[in-house]
Amino acid sequence: MYDLIVIGSGPAGEKGAAQAAYFGKSVALIEREPILGGACVNTGTIPSKTLRESALHLSGFRQRGFRDAVDLTIKGEVTIRDFMYRKDVVVEREWRRIDENLRRHRVDRYSGVAKFRSPNVIEVTNALGAEVLEGKIVLIATGSSPYRPSHVPFDDEHICDSDTILVMNRIPKSLAVVGAGVIGCEYASIFAALGIEVHLIDGRTALLPHIDRECVKVLLGELQNRLGVILHLGCDVDSIENAGDHIHLTLKDGSSFDTDKVLYAAGRNSNTSDLDLAAAGVNAGNRGLVVVNENYQTNVANIYAAGDVIGFPALASTSMEQARVAMVHAFDLKYKTRVAPILPYAIYTIPELSTVGMTEEQCRAKGITPEVGRAYYRNNARGNIIGDTKGILKLVFDAESLTLHGVHIIGEDAAELLHTGMMVMQFGGTINAFIDSVFNFPTLSEAYKYAAYDGLGNVARKRTQQVAQELI
């Protein structure tokens, strides 16, 4: 009997297995696919972010600040081999990294589809037959897959989901993206950067409603004005018809258009249908989401779940931490006991967007009087050097104590820059941390200091106005 059986080799599965093995537990890992890494490595995070870099490189998009008068789009000139080359290289390196990590931790691997027979017994089935494993603890880390509604005529060539778009055999002449969530916005900007006509469609009127509105406004402007994305917000798709040489879309407002390819990106389902959770007595919710408590423990004491299979926030970064915390609880290890309460969030659109902590509206809802400090890339030497003049770094802080409560960035390297502000928040710091620090020059990081100066200036002006009103 193993101390731990892990189902799935994505971020949660890999790190959960390694965590337990590091503390001397015997671990078995089951993966149904012939390759390791789950959706993160093979169809999600790693491929899409690599394609973003490929699009920026191949299109010359990053060089537009140097040659504003020249059209650097390359319509029809990029081949599918050019576009996919770097993605394939990076994915293969990730396969090797995960394989080496599991070997180093002496994790036993089993290939096949896992199915519960009882809370401690799992059957693994593959082309060679079936094998039964027993484990004291089980970690479900099976991830998620694109939601494919029955009314959409997927053929995975002309009408794709976010998995099958990665195996396309040519660069499309035009693309319609249905769903303006994170995945939809990312792919829309990637293909638009290549000079492809892109339509972005969503029934919601607000793009990315959980993100700071000022940053989203900049993103909207860049998508429309710089990348040329055609937005159809507040308008659902009525029908999608495959006409052979093109796809015809009709929207519920009566408008219609033709496109070369459709990417349907409207949500995901947890990968639990093959597990037979009922045999183990594990509760599941909508779209197969596994229900867990604060320790990532299901209603069955020895069974845990982490990552996309439990739902929001469904990020690789948090999935890894969830699995580590779950294993610490499962084996009563004297180590990490919780996932950090402050979590960074990045959207790899063009331009990049990243956020941590609260917005102004969220601060007010919690009884905090917020103040804001902004720094613009156009006023930053490094921002001008790299040609990014639209970026913003925004600090949200308490107007009285100056405690930092949120950082919101849109622009080059937003996901990297965010961590500086996040660490100040992690230790309960104020915006004075940026005033008191020295940053390399020229760097985008220096924007933190000037955003803090701007914030202090806003506080001082409002206090002066308040005093003046009291004297009247």
Side-chain angles (χ1 to χ4, degrees):
M1 176 180 279
Y2 285 99
D3 292 320
L4 171 66
I5 297 175
V6 178
I7 309 174
S9 66
E14 179 202 352
K15 302 308 182 185
Q19 181 78 92
Y22 177 82
F23 283 95
K25 308 302 178 182
S26 59
V27 181
L29 184 143
I30 305 166
E31 174 56 60
R32 68 179 181 180
E33 300 295 337
I35 47 182
L36 298 169
C40 174
V41 170
N42 297 293
T43 59
T45 304
I46 299 299
S48 63
K49 280 50 175 178
T50 309
L51 289 181
R52 178 186 186 274
E53 292 303 308
S54 296
L56 288 169
H57 173 72
L58 291 168
S59 67
F61 190 86
R62 279 203 174 109
Q63 285 72 50
R64 290 193 179 192
F66 297 92
R67 300 174 63 191
D68 284 333
V70 180
D71 182 8
L72 288 174
T73 58
I74 47 174
K75 298 176 182 178
E77 296 179 13
V78 176
T79 67
I80 193 66
R81 185 178 179 183
D82 295 330
F83 191 43
M84 294 295 179
Y85 171 76
R86 186 64 187 169
K87 183 266 294 184
D88 294 338
V89 169
V90 173
V91 167
E92 288 176 12
R93 287 180 179 173
E94 281 296 295
W95 291 341
R96 290 196 295 272
R97 182 197 62 76
I98 297 169
D99 178 70
E100 290 168 3
N101 190 32
L102 295 177
R103 290 180 186 277
R104 186 168 62 251
H105 285 90
R106 298 179 181 178
V107 173
D108 292 341
R109 284 161 46 190
Y110 294 84
S111 179
V113 176
K115 179 178 290 187
F116 281 99
R117 283 189 173 180
S118 73
N120 298 97
V121 179
I122 294 175
E123 180 181 88
V124 184
T125 305
N126 55 35
L128 300 177
E131 186 173 2
V132 174
L133 304 180
E134 292 186 58
K136 298 174 185 176
I137 301 294
V138 177
L139 173 63
I140 301 171
T142 47
S144 64
S145 299
Y147 172 55
R148 292 171 67 110
S150 57
H151 69 275
V152 178
F154 291 99
D155 64 357
D156 296 329
E157 181 180 356
H158 302 98
I159 304 171
C160 306
D161 60 30
S162 57
D163 284 2
T164 56
I165 194 77
L166 294 170
V167 292
M168 59 186 175
N169 56 16
R170 62 180 176 84
I171 299 290
K173 296 176 183 177
S174 57
L175 174 71
V177 179
V178 181
V182 173
I183 294 172
C185 287
E186 288 180 349
Y187 273 111
S189 66
I190 288 169
F191 281 97
L194 293 174
I196 295 165
E197 178 185 294
V198 175
H199 295 258
L200 182 59
I201 307 160
D202 200 292
R204 296 169 294 184
T205 56
L207 196 72
L208 303 171
H210 58 296
I211 300 296
D212 176 82
R213 304 323 297 163
E214 188 174 358
C215 289
V216 170
K217 185 178 179 181
V218 174
L219 176 62
L220 273 170
E222 291 291 271
L223 287 176
Q224 290 179 288
N225 303 325
R226 195 171 187 186
L227 290 169
V229 174
I230 303 165
L231 294 174
H232 305 270
L233 298 181
C235 194
D236 281 316
V237 173
D238 187 52
S239 66
I240 302 175
E241 302 172 51
N242 190 339
D245 60 342
H246 68 273
I247 307 299
H248 185 73
L249 283 91
T250 302
L251 307 184
K252 289 189 175 178
D253 64 358
S255 63
S256 63
F257 59 90
D258 294 336
T259 188
D260 192 22
K261 190 182 287 287
V262 172
L263 167 60
Y264 195 92
R268 299 179 70 85
N269 284 335
S270 293
N271 295 330
T272 55
S273 59
D274 294 330
L275 291 176
D276 193 4
L277 294 176
V282 174
N283 292 336
N286 185 41
R287 293 196 181 184
L289 292 176
V290 178
V291 181
V292 296
N293 63 18
E294 67 277 9
N295 299 309
Y296 305 100
Q297 185 179 35
T298 71
N299 60 297
V300 180
N302 73 299
I303 300 177
Y304 291 73
D308 283 19
V309 77
I310 68 172
F312 185 83
L315 301 170
S317 55
T318 52
S319 297
M320 297 175 192
E321 291 299 284
Q322 289 169 356
R324 290 178 177 125
V325 168
M327 294 302 91
V328 167
H329 183 267
F331 295 108
D332 193 26
L333 306 174
K334 306 306 177 185
Y335 190 54
K336 187 185 297 284
T337 58
R338 64 169 187 165
V339 174
I342 301 172
L343 299 174
Y345 198 86
I347 302 176
Y348 293 88
T349 44
I350 300 172
E352 196 168 290
L353 195 156
S354 197
T355 180
V356 66
M358 293 188 288
T359 62
E360 297 156 81
E361 294 76 18
Q362 290 168 335
C363 283
R364 292 188 187 98
K366 291 197 172 185
I368 299 168
T369 302
E371 189 51 79
V372 172
R374 298 173 181 85
Y376 299 92
Y377 280 34
R378 65 176 179 268
N379 298 327
N380 176 277
R382 182 68 178 175
N384 280 301
I385 288 169
I386 63 177
D388 185 347
T389 58
K390 299 294 184 180
I392 300 175
L393 187 153
K394 179 177 178 180
L395 305 178
V396 177
F397 60 96
D398 188 306
E400 295 298 323
S401 68
L402 305 184
T403 301
L404 183 64
H405 289 296
V407 182
H408 312 283
I409 310 173
I410 184 164
E412 188 82 3
D413 287 338
E416 297 285 351
L417 281 171
L418 189 79
H419 298 124
T420 300
M422 185 183 75
M423 293 308 295
V424 171
M425 291 172 59
Q426 190 82 25
F427 294 104
T430 71
I431 62 170
N432 284 328
F434 308 123
I435 301 291
D436 297 337
S437 298
V438 176
F439 296 89
N440 277 327
F441 179 87
T443 61
L444 293 174
S445 295
E446 190 193 25
Y448 273 106
K449 183 184 287 284
Y450 289 95
Y453 279 135
D454 180 63
L456 290 178
N458 290 334
V459 169
R461 277 189 293 274
K462 288 182 179 179
R463 286 177 179 170
T464 300
Q465 291 171 357
Q466 183 180 1
V467 170
Q469 289 175 348
E470 290 173 354
L471 292 174
I472 294 175

